[in-house]
Structures are given as structure tokens and as C-alpha cells.
Amino acid sequence: MAYSGQMLAMFPGQGSQFVGMGRQLISEFPVVKSVFEEAEDAAKLSIRRLCLDGPEDELKLTANTQPCILTVSVATWRVLQSETGVVPSLFAGHSLGEYSAVVAAGKLDFARAVYLVRRRGEAMQAAVPAGVGAMAAVVNVAATDLQARCADASETGSVVEVVNFNSPQQLVVAGHKTAVDRLCVGLESSGLRFVMLPVSAPFHSSLMQPARVAMEPLLTESKFHKTPTRIIPNLTAEISDQYSADLLVAQINSPVKWTQSLESAYAAGCRDYVEIGPGKVLFGLARKTLPRDVQLRHTDDVRETITALS
């Protein structure tokens, strides 16, 4: 009997990639072969080779990472569907992961999504010259406090903003490197913790406006299907069965409201959460965000997840 309950299917974003991801899927589940073939045709990229063999420095290039994570996530989703018949009540994805969520919810064709995220990765990387932007994760600072600190550290032509609400304990800032550095000097002097992230592009900040301009026509000309499945977009953190290109257009240079998305699912009665795709990042964030009466799962071992959901 397939699992039937209030479940949020969560799909990871950039940073969850690793060389070797998808190996179990490819070796154990024949359904996966067609997923990788379709993705490679759409992206004009050797996705299977990058996922299984890397090299790591090639896999972590934004334009490569995004279609690779999307492919592994959708392949994992299709395996869970074929093996368990699971029907989540809600779908959500972190940044890039929202494309996986929209595909899994039946609102966007997989091949089109792969093409879009390949172009999205190229546009995001090209939006800001290497070395100009920066990102940092900040630990145990209230959102209102950090937003005020960002405002103080920003000046004309050099801004830093809160761009990811990952959990109550972890926020991410992004912007011009000069402004991020000023912010971090202030955090350090206050005895507050932060970690510089190994990226040069300030994702989800206002500096991504050129990427938004580049992606808007590609997204608006894409066909989004009307389905009864419900999604929690990063942009609004509100549950809806209505979905349009505008949500993905605005997402490019707007904050990811992940904490708020998890809280919306919980408020709607959702008590089961499963991360579908490579890694366990969202599993960890959910554990830090949600009350203890929830069931959290991930798909690091797909067979184990199938057993739990069957």
C-alpha cells in the first residue's frame, strides 16, 4: 500500500552536488536511464559523466551543477513514484530545487526544465564578474538584526542583502564582496559566527538583475500546466495550486524563504517531510526549523526510503 498522508516533497538546490551522485539510481533502477538521456538531449551536456565521474571542478560550475542536480532529483522522484506510488500533498524546492518541484508536481515538462536551468546557470554566473560578488552564511543572528546590519554595511554601489532564510539558526547574505566583507568585519567584532561560501556569484541578491532579464523571455514562453498539485514557491512561501513563470522570474533576484515555506507546510498540517535528490541539506534544515512531532526523511539510500514509504 502506497504512503498516503500530509507530506512535503523537498528538492535540494545548488551546493548539494557531489561526484558520484545518482550512482545507486543508475545501477539499480532501469527507469532512470531514460531520465538521464532526456536531460542530456535537452542540456547538450554529458550529465551522467559529470554526476558519476566529475571532475569536481567541472561539476561545480554553476551552468553544469544546476542541470545535474535537477536530473538526479527528478530521477529519484520517478523511482519513488514507480516503486511506491507516493503522492505528496505539497511540493517545494530550495532555489534551483524549485524547478525539480515544479516538474515533480507536473506543472513543467522535464526537458524544458533542464534547458531552462542550464541557461539559468549560465546567466547567473555571467551576471556578476568573478571576484566582484560574495556570499556568507551567518549563524544564530535574528533576521531583523542581520537585515539592519546589512543596511549599515551597504553604500551606493556596494550592497549586501539577506538572500536565504534557511533556518532560524542560519541565514545567508550576498552582494558586492566589498559590502559582504564590511558586514563580516562587524559580525566578527560582535563575536558572531559566519562562514564565507565558496562561490563568486551573489545568488538571489539584487545583483542578479541581469540574469533575471536574460531568463525572463525564456521562462515566460515556457508552458506551465494547470494541475491540482500544490506548491510552496520560494518567492511567497505560501501554498498554492496556481503556478506561473513569474514566480521563477522573480526568484532569481529575490530571497529564498525556505524557513517560511517549511512553516507554511507545518501550519497546513504537514508532518512528513522527505528530501528527494542528492545530499541531506534540506533534511538538516528541516530538523533545525520544525517541531519534534514531524517525520523527516532523505533519499541518500533510495532503497531505504522506498521501504519506509511502501
Side-chain angles (χ1 to χ4, degrees):
M1 179 179 173
Y3 175 89
S4 59
Q6 290 286 337
M7 174 185 287
L8 173 64
M10 310 181 294
F11 296 86
Q14 195 161 337
S16 293
Q17 74 276 0
F18 60 91
V19 175
M21 65 180 183
R23 193 177 303 280
Q24 182 188 19
L25 295 171
I26 290 170
S27 64
E28 296 185 26
F29 302 97
V31 69
V32 163
K33 182 182 177 184
S34 63
V35 178
F36 276 80
E37 289 174 347
E38 186 177 0
E40 292 188 338
D41 286 345
K44 309 303 180 193
L45 186 68
S46 300
I47 290 175
R48 176 170 171 156
R49 175 185 63 79
L50 284 167
C51 289
L52 298 185
D53 304 319
E56 185 177 355
D57 60 349
E58 197 174 333
L59 174 62
K60 72 180 182 182
L61 293 172
T62 299
N64 293 342
T65 304
Q66 298 202 11
C68 286
I69 290 178
L70 172 65
T71 301
V72 173
S73 297
V74 170
T76 307
W77 163 246
R78 290 191 180 169
V79 165
L80 291 182
Q81 268 196 310
S82 65
E83 296 288 324
T84 71
V86 63
V87 181
S89 50
L90 297 169
F91 295 82
H94 190 287
S95 186
L96 161 70
E98 188 164 326
Y99 286 79
S100 305
V102 172
V103 170
K107 297 184 184 295
L108 180 63
D109 294 340
F110 175 53
R112 183 63 181 176
V114 174
Y115 169 78
L116 288 170
V117 301
R118 172 73 164 161
R119 296 294 296 272
R120 178 181 186 263
E122 293 170 343
M124 292 175 84
Q125 197 63 59
V128 180
V132 172
M135 299 184 75
V138 182
V139 181
N140 292 329
V141 178
T144 52
D145 182 10
L146 187 57
Q147 287 169 325
R149 287 173 177 270
C150 285
D152 290 342
S154 296
E155 55 189 42
T156 303
S158 179
V159 302
V160 57
E161 302 154 356
V162 179
V163 296
N164 286 0
F165 296 84
N166 283 341
S167 75
Q169 300 82 19
Q170 186 197 93
L171 304 171
V172 175
V173 298
H176 293 95
K177 187 178 186 304
T178 50
V180 174
D181 287 345
R182 281 195 298 271
L183 172 71
C184 291
V185 167
L187 291 170
E188 193 167 28
S189 67
S190 299
L192 299 170
R193 291 172 53 209
F194 63 90
V195 177
M196 296 301 296
L197 300 181
V199 297
S200 61
F203 300 133
H204 294 289
S205 74
S206 58
L207 278 69
M208 287 289 107
Q209 177 65 18
R212 174 173 175 162
V213 170
M215 287 301 298
E216 185 165 9
L218 299 178
L219 284 162
T220 53
E221 70 187 19
S222 300
K223 181 173 178 56
F224 288 84
H225 308 294
K226 292 184 178 180
T227 68
T229 49
R230 298 184 298 164
I231 288 189
I232 311 176
N234 292 176
L235 187 69
T236 65
E238 295 175 355
I239 298 168
S240 177
D241 61 356
Q242 302 296 310
Y243 198 87
S244 67
D246 295 348
L247 293 164
L248 290 175
V249 171
Q251 187 221 55
I252 293 171
N253 62 340
S254 299
V256 174
K257 298 178 180 177
W258 189 249
T259 301
Q260 299 91 323
S261 296
L262 294 179
E263 291 170 346
S264 290
Y266 187 85
C270 185
R271 296 297 180 268
D272 272 82
Y273 300 75
V274 58
E275 180 170 10
I276 301 172
K280 297 183 284 189
V281 171
L282 302 184
F283 171 87
L285 295 178
R287 188 164 55 184
K288 293 176 181 177
T289 302
L290 295 167
R292 294 186 178 182
D293 63 339
V294 301
Q295 174 68 58
L296 304 177
R297 298 183 175 91
H298 55 76
T299 53
D300 251 17
D301 186 321
V302 180
R303 286 287 181 194
E304 195 173 285
T305 311
I306 290 169
T307 301
L309 298 179
S310 297

